[in-house]
Amino acid sequence: MTDMTLYIGNKNYSSWSLRPWLAMKQAGLSFREVLVPLDRPDTQKQIRAFSGSGKVPFLEHGAVKIWESLAICEYVAEIRPQAHLWPSDPVARAHARAVATEMHGGFAELRRNMPMDIRGRWPERNRQSHCTAEIERVIGLWREARERFGKAGANGKGDFLYGGFTVADAMYAPVTTRFITYGAKLDPATTAYIEAVNNLPAMREWAEASKQEPWELTYPVFRQT
Ligand SMILES: N[C@@H](CCC(=O)N[C@@H](CS)C(=O)NCC(=O)O)C(=O)O
């Protein structure tokens, strides 16, 4: 019996929920999930019953209550040091933290124009041209992390940004699914990284569950076009 509960939104659409969920799975934690369907008349009432922020994800661990996806990932990294969710080298770790934080606070155009829809395949809705600079920035960050730290195995061997999986990978996991959903044309190194993330058993589990969900949301950006 676990004393950890992660409150999340729909697996198909809630990109912020995917991040800590994936970090927790990669850390080998056992936890209960409570899914609150988004964009329904009672969504806010349901979420505010456990979180004053009115948003998911939200983690309860006994008396500990944490909101904000990145803060939850940080907490997981601290209680599970053996999972190495941050590189041990201070330079690689600082880089990974900057990369993760930039995702948490930025890329508004990318998030607006290419919203997460894991089971969807919408090459015809490809709005890459509306957020070219941000996409180039993401790809550049991934390339720099892989070249400087990943290939040298800063966080152990692996195909992730710093070698072995880190919180930075968790933060960008929803971006990797967006590139798949919207059929983005990418270079081989970027494609290989996207495959590494999406081939994780936990990512497959999340994607499979997203296909079983009955809810269909239409993002405002697609109502305009
Ligand atoms: N900065 C927050 C963002 C969380 C967020 O925006 N969550 C969305 C779902 S992905 C939400 O809960 N929306 C509430 C609603 O739609 O009523 C985080 O990193 O956790």
Side-chain angles (χ1 to χ4, degrees), residues 14-16 38-39 43-44 47 54-57 68-70 104:
S14 183
S15 59
W16 294 111
L38 298 172
D39 206 24
T43 298
Q44 272 301 302
I47 297 178
K55 300 209 185 296
V56 285
E68 289 293 333
S69 54
L70 187 52
H104 192 237

Side-chain angles (χ1 to χ4, degrees), residues 10-184:
N10 314 39
K11 288 187 169 165
N12 195 51
Y13 300 111
S14 183
S15 59
W16 294 111
S17 301
L18 167 57
R19 295 169 167 114
W21 184 93
L22 182 58
M24 289 168 74
K25 287 279 176 182
Q26 288 300 111
L29 290 170
S30 128
F31 59 97
R32 205 167 67 95
E33 285 172 37
V34 175
L35 191 152
V36 180
L38 298 172
D39 206 24
R40 283 160 46 127
D42 63 343
T43 298
Q44 272 301 302
K45 188 168 171 245
Q46 280 197 54
I47 297 178
R48 286 187 186 279
F50 55 82
S51 177
S53 76
K55 300 209 185 296
V56 285
F58 184 83
L59 178 68
E60 263 176 21
H61 183 201
V64 177
K65 295 176 194 300
I66 310 170
W67 65 105
E68 289 293 333
S69 54
L70 187 52
I72 298 170
C73 291
E74 287 282 5
Y75 179 73
V76 171
E78 289 196 26
I79 60 169
R80 268 290 167 132
Q82 64 273 41
H84 302 289
L85 287 179
W86 291 116
S88 55
D89 168 61
V91 177
R93 190 166 64 250
H95 193 274
R97 281 213 157 98
V99 165
T101 310
E102 188 167 338
M103 179 71 249
H104 192 237
F107 299 116
E109 284 305 312
L110 195 160
R111 290 194 282 113
R112 200 175 76 80
N113 285 292
M114 298 170 73
M116 192 170 94
D117 180 356
I118 293 198
R119 64 181 177 237
R121 292 293 177 270
W122 304 113
E124 72 279 12
R125 285 181 178 173
N126 193 330
R127 293 172 59 94
Q128 268 183 272
S129 58
H130 291 69
C131 43
T132 315
E134 289 189 0
I135 290 173
E136 279 173 9
R137 174 70 181 159
V138 167
I139 292 171
L141 286 175
W142 290 354
R143 187 183 306 120
E144 183 181 305
R146 281 287 309 150
E147 292 295 329
R148 275 184 70 189
F149 304 104
K151 288 185 176 166
N155 198 45
K157 279 200 186 313
D159 298 325
F160 301 101
L161 297 178
Y162 299 86
F165 186 91
T166 65
V167 169
D169 298 295
M171 292 306 291
Y172 285 86
V175 179
T176 70
T177 75
R178 286 162 154 116
F179 286 158
I180 296 170
T181 295
Y182 298 104

